Amino acid sequence: MTDKMKLKSALSGKSRLLVYFASGTEIKECYYKLPFELIILVDVAFKKPLKIAKNVVCVGLWSTNAISLFKELEISISCMATGIDGLEEGGCAFPMNGNFCIGSLLPILKNDFLHIAFPKQYRRSWKKLFLDMPFTSTLLNQTDKDYIDPKIFSSTNKAGYVWRVTKNVEPPTNFKLGGRNITIQRKSIWDNYESLDKLFVRCPPIEARNVKKLFPKAEIIKDFTFEGILQYCNRNNVSSIGLSPWLRHEYKAFLQYLLDNEEKNPLPRVIHFNHLHRNDFAQVYNLAKQSSISA
């Protein structure tokens, strides 16, 4: 039996899963007592790709590879835990609580889930990293029913927190731009992976090759000019695409380029602008309002 089949078997019938990213290789006795049916530890430092001991599963993969595997196995995560990422000393190349990881994880997190993290390890604003996302969160304390001591997941003195999180699916905004159908929506672009022909995504540079290998529908948006996106779509008969934020909030030139080049490059016919943070794509939303008024 392959490791993938072994993991699938271990997951069978389990509905309450905790996944601990950048876990380190220590398997603590307290993990076995956590109130979940399965505890999945993810860290590339594990010597074997898969090890199962009672209700603890060790997955020896990079986070992106593990997320790809979890999506393939259609798991649904009840609790996402991250310790100290190791951005400064542990070899981690990107934050586990940043846009890339949170965005790619959202499709496999339950609508209501727990999030355990240590925000003070990051230099960027924690609000930008986590609180300004398409969900609402409540900070738990020791008296709350679902509270789990964050110290279980770190040996440092930095403060850890537990949130009860509910995903918010905001309604899409739709309008026509010439003959193209435009949709803007505040949700993970990865939610559209199956429904669109191609996704133009952002990711840490070190993960670009890996992302394209694991997700064949994905292209790295920073590799393309305006002309490059349209030429790629028309050369490869790509009719529908998703776009991540990439132009530092300045989209007027791109929108005008789409209009000016529709006859020369009619594809894509459908464009989804997907974003995590509230102020992303403000100029696209403004154009949608203008289109609604003029209609």
Side-chain angles (χ1 to χ4, degrees), residues 28-40:
K28 300 177 182 179
E29 189 65 30
C30 58
Y31 293 162
Y32 296 102
K33 301 175 183 178
L34 289 171
F36 296 91
E37 293 175 280
L38 214 61
I39 313 299
I40 304 175

Side-chain angles (χ1 to χ4, degrees), residues 68 122 177 196 228 238 254 294:
S68 173
Y122 301 116
L177 185 65
L196 298 179
V238 174
F254 177 65
S294 62

Side-chain angles (χ1 to χ4, degrees), residues 48-276:
K48 294 182 179 180
L50 182 69
K51 178 182 177 181
I52 302 174
K54 298 179 182 177
N55 64 325
V56 175
V57 176
C58 304
V59 176
L61 295 173
W62 286 107
S63 59
T64 308
N65 298 68
I67 291 169
S68 173
L69 176 61
F70 296 158
K71 287 180 176 178
E72 182 180 345
L73 296 176
E74 299 181 332
I75 79 168
S76 188
I77 298 172
S78 304
C79 178
M80 171 190 171
T82 58
I84 302 300
D85 291 354
L87 291 170
E88 295 180 355
E89 74 288 333
C92 186
F94 47 87
M96 287 304 308
N97 292 284
N99 292 336
F100 173 62
C101 285
I102 294 291
S104 57
L105 273 167
L106 274 173
I108 58 174
L109 291 167
K110 288 190 172 181
N111 285 333
D112 297 286
F113 65 95
L114 296 179
H115 187 95
I116 301 171
F118 295 76
K120 293 185 179 180
Q121 67 178 300
Y122 301 116
R123 295 177 183 176
R124 290 181 61 197
S125 165
W126 181 241
K127 182 177 181 180
K128 184 66 174 177
L129 283 168
F130 179 66
L131 296 182
D132 184 24
M133 291 278 188
F135 42 65
T136 56
S137 57
T138 302
L139 184 63
L140 303 184
N141 58 48
Q142 295 181 13
T143 62
D144 288 304
K145 176 185 175 183
D146 294 329
Y147 182 83
I148 298 170
D149 188 353
K151 292 180 182 177
I152 292 172
F153 303 99
S154 175
S155 59
T156 74
N157 293 324
K158 293 181 180 179
Y161 301 91
V162 184
W163 288 268
R164 185 186 293 115
V165 184
T166 299
K167 291 195 284 188
N168 295 334
V169 179
E170 298 184 2
T173 297
N174 302 298
F175 69 101
K176 297 280 287 188
L177 185 65
R180 306 185 203 268
N181 295 310
I182 308 297
T183 295
I184 329 164
Q185 191 170 16
R186 193 173 177 220
K187 70 172 186 176
S188 171
I189 193 172
W190 296 102
D191 281 319
N192 293 331
Y193 187 79
E194 299 300 330
S195 61
L196 298 179
D197 295 334
K198 207 72 175 175
L199 303 184
F200 291 83
V201 303
R202 294 179 63 181
C203 75
I206 196 172
E207 279 292 85
R209 182 179 296 181
N210 201 25
V211 166
K212 292 180 66 172
K213 177 182 177 182
L214 293 168
F215 302 99
K217 282 189 176 184
E219 294 291 339
I220 310 306
I221 196 165
K222 288 189 174 181
D223 291 344
F224 291 83
T225 62
F226 297 169
E227 182 181 22
I229 291 174
L230 295 190
Q231 287 184 346
Y232 179 93
C233 291
N234 285 273
R235 185 169 62 249
N236 295 284
N237 197 32
V238 174
S239 181
S240 60
I241 64 172
L243 297 173
S244 293
W246 84 106
L247 293 174
R248 297 176 183 249
H249 306 295
E250 292 294 330
Y251 298 99
K252 290 181 179 179
F254 177 65
L255 295 168
Q256 189 62 50
Y257 190 86
L258 290 174
L259 277 173
D260 293 344
N261 289 272
E262 184 174 3
E263 183 175 349
K264 179 182 177 182
N265 292 300
L267 298 179
R269 306 304 299 174
V270 174
I271 301 176
H272 284 244
F273 291 84
N274 290 115
H275 62 111
L276 298 177

